[in-house]
Amino acid sequence: MDVSSIQNPSFIKDLSNQELEELSSEIRKFLIETCSVTGGHIGANLGVVELTLSLHKHFNSPIDKIIWDVGHQTYIHKILTGRGHEFNSLRQYKGLCGFPKTKESEHDVWEAGHSSTSLSAAMGMAKARDILGKTNHVVPVIGDGALTGGMALEALNHIGHDKTNLTIILNDNEMSIAPNVGAMHNMFGRIRTNQNYNRFKFDAETFMSRLPGGDRLRDSADKIKDSLKYLVVDGIFFEELGIKYIGPVDGHNFKELDEAISASKQINKPVLIHVVTKKGKGYKPAEVDTVGTWHGLGPYKLETGEVIKGDAEGPAWSALMSDQVLNYAKQDKRVVAITPAMPVGSKLTKFQQALPEQFFDVGIAEQHAVTMAAGLATQGMKPYVAIYSTFMQRAYDQLLHDVDRQNLNVLFGVDRAGLVGADGETHQGVFDVGFLSQFPNFTIMMPKDGDEAIAMVKTAFETEHGPMAIRYPRGNAPMLNETKKNEVLEIGTWQYERMGQHLSIISYGPTVKIITDVADELLKEGINVNVINARFIKPMDFDMLHEIGKDTNPIITVEESMLTGGLGSQIATFIKDHDYQNVMRRIGINDEYIEHGDVDLLLEDIGISKANIKSLVKSLIR
Ligand SMILES: Cc1ncc(C[n+]2csc(CCOP(=O)(O)OP(=O)(O)O)c2C)c(N)n1
Ligand SMILES: CC(=O)[C@@H](O)[C@H](O)COP(=O)(O)O
Ligand SMILES: [Mg+2]
């Protein structure tokens, strides 16, 4: 079967389990091939082929609502709902999104990208169903990693109490991106190894549910089951919360999935089906990955699974930052590193191995990570929280209420700052400048290159300056050798990269290099501009701002961030507040979300291109 020609999932309902197995193989082959060219979250998808087919067999999407947590594992769902023919554009500019998108299909009933939202969304949809007198099923599919997120636990607490009819699918592959962590993860391990008890429990429930007038028998079975669970397993969390537990079920076995889903449909209460799957199933390099490389990656060689490396020079920004912090941690045990489930992306595995006592992977728990860091700081520790800009959004109040308000010495490595590319809208790191700038005590920096990043880490560890954020982008750090790595930077000072007299262009981070290139090209045409590296986004360099305010020449600001609340807006406010007369133009992201695609193309769309900046300069000085 040509899986890219599938129009909708209705045909699955008539397939035998053997036919479903054949279809699974074809889908896997298709995914492994297409993702070898486009890249993507291949590991997670290979693990849910049978599960996705079973869900579409037993439920009537989109009337029944299948809600995918995170949404990175929806490739099979996309194929079954008529999008297979678009897979060569997966995660590319103007192509198919790597996450659910309501505008792509009516079957994508919930958009995500950030984790642990599915249960709350499901509760909302189920309540709407009940209030409106509808009868559809609501089926959130949540991974064992996503279940470590606070939101998911808040929702479970509500669902169990409210007894709302939901079919929760727990996809337990023992992996978050890296191996999963936490006490719940350990509990699932115990449940998995107590297969006999669970098999008995599942069979008994299915059996009882099929008996006519079996209420009394069911009650007795519940009692036997309840006493057994304390004998065999040390407490079944979900049942105690009021959520019926079915499992564990082999998530690659259609018969077991059939039985479990059918049984769940007999129960008019919240049910959780614990499905055990293998991440990367069916592709050897992904199956044997114990690190998390195959969770999501770029193109790879199909035959060997060898990852195709880009031609970028310099160390990965994340590695450069984590290694610097590790150097300090080796000399000072007060330096500790915290990651909310991103040791792989934030390149902290070296730190984890070198100093396990000073390293904390707290699971997908950004709020906890930030407040835990605040707690550490109150005791004189020097916590470093490596956190993606986009996921930092989850911890807005903790940053404000716990860290900033108490002016605590916590260093944040704000990873993936700026546009991230293929992950798109849900993951662009473009809001942190706006919200962190509002916090009175925060210092926000962004290095233009790797050397400046090293000096910034030094500045953070060698000054006691309250909360600090060093932003750095996805990708590799150029080492321009223009900053002394041993320098402690003076807080709130900017630097002239080029001196001119016609106009000032102010930027921060690697965008500074684009501006200096523009300035060099303009110089050949006799146009002489200031280029200012605003390496401290906050506090700004007020002396320099007065200088350029007084010279009255036009000012252009360029930033890979939202314009609202961005540096440009703050400079404009400063100029206005001081009655300076400079004409100002701001380049950055207007009031919109930026979709997925190649970063250079996206930058061009928002006006961060040499050509656009050059023509703006010319239009302002002529
Ligand atoms: C709030 C938030 N923090 C971190 C992430 C990054 N992230 C994406 S998928 C993932 C692991 C999810 O594990 P799990 O739910 O078990 O899904 P699996 O990939 O194992 O199928 C993480 C940490 C995220 N998407 N959202
Ligand atoms: C789905 C998700 O949130 C992560 O898997 C994310 O895609 C990781 O991004 P990086 O590839 O930038 O680490
Ligand atoms: Mg998982």
Side-chain angles (χ1 to χ4, degrees), residues 475-494:
N476 297 69
M479 305 302 287
L480 302 178
N481 281 319
E482 291 170 1
T483 310
K484 288 192 211 101
K485 297 184 186 97
N486 283 330
E487 203 179 343
V488 171
L489 305 176
E490 196 182 327
I491 307 287
T493 57
W494 293 350

Side-chain angles (χ1 to χ4, degrees), residues 47-48 51 171-174 249-252 275-279:
V48 295
L51 176 60
N171 171 30
D172 177 10
N173 53 21
E174 300 183 57
V249 173
D250 177 352
H252 303 297
V275 179
V276 177
T277 61
K278 173 95 192 128
K279 213 162 174 169

Side-chain angles (χ1 to χ4, degrees), residues 261-378:
I261 299 173
S262 303
S264 77
K265 283 181 156 177
Q266 312 291 324
I267 303 166
N268 192 22
K269 276 196 216 173
V271 179
L272 181 139
I273 307 178
H274 182 181
V275 179
V276 177
T277 61
K278 173 95 192 128
K279 213 162 174 169
K281 173 93 174 164
Y283 188 48
K284 202 74 201 164
E287 264 190 28
V288 298
D289 170 32
T290 51
V291 177
T293 315
W294 283 85
H295 168 82
L297 77 178
Y300 50 88
K301 290 187 186 156
L302 194 57
E303 302 72 30
T304 58
E306 191 190 327
V307 177
I308 298 169
K309 292 216 164 71
D311 48 12
E313 285 173 15
W317 279 103
S318 314
L320 180 126
M321 289 292 296
S322 296
D323 290 353
Q324 285 310 305
V325 177
L326 174 59
N327 290 341
Y328 282 94
K330 280 180 179 164
Q331 291 150 27
D332 183 349
K333 67 177 179 200
R334 292 174 302 164
V335 176
V336 296
I338 303 175
T339 173
M342 303 303 280
V344 180
S346 292
K347 300 268 190 290
L348 276 164
T349 40
K350 198 161 131 195
F351 191 118
Q352 178 176 22
Q353 278 152 15
L355 300 172
E357 305 274 301
Q358 285 162 253
F359 171 84
F360 304 96
D361 177 353
V362 297
I364 305 181
E366 288 80 9
Q367 298 169 320
H368 167 62
V370 171
T371 301
M372 177 183 165
L376 281 157
T378 62

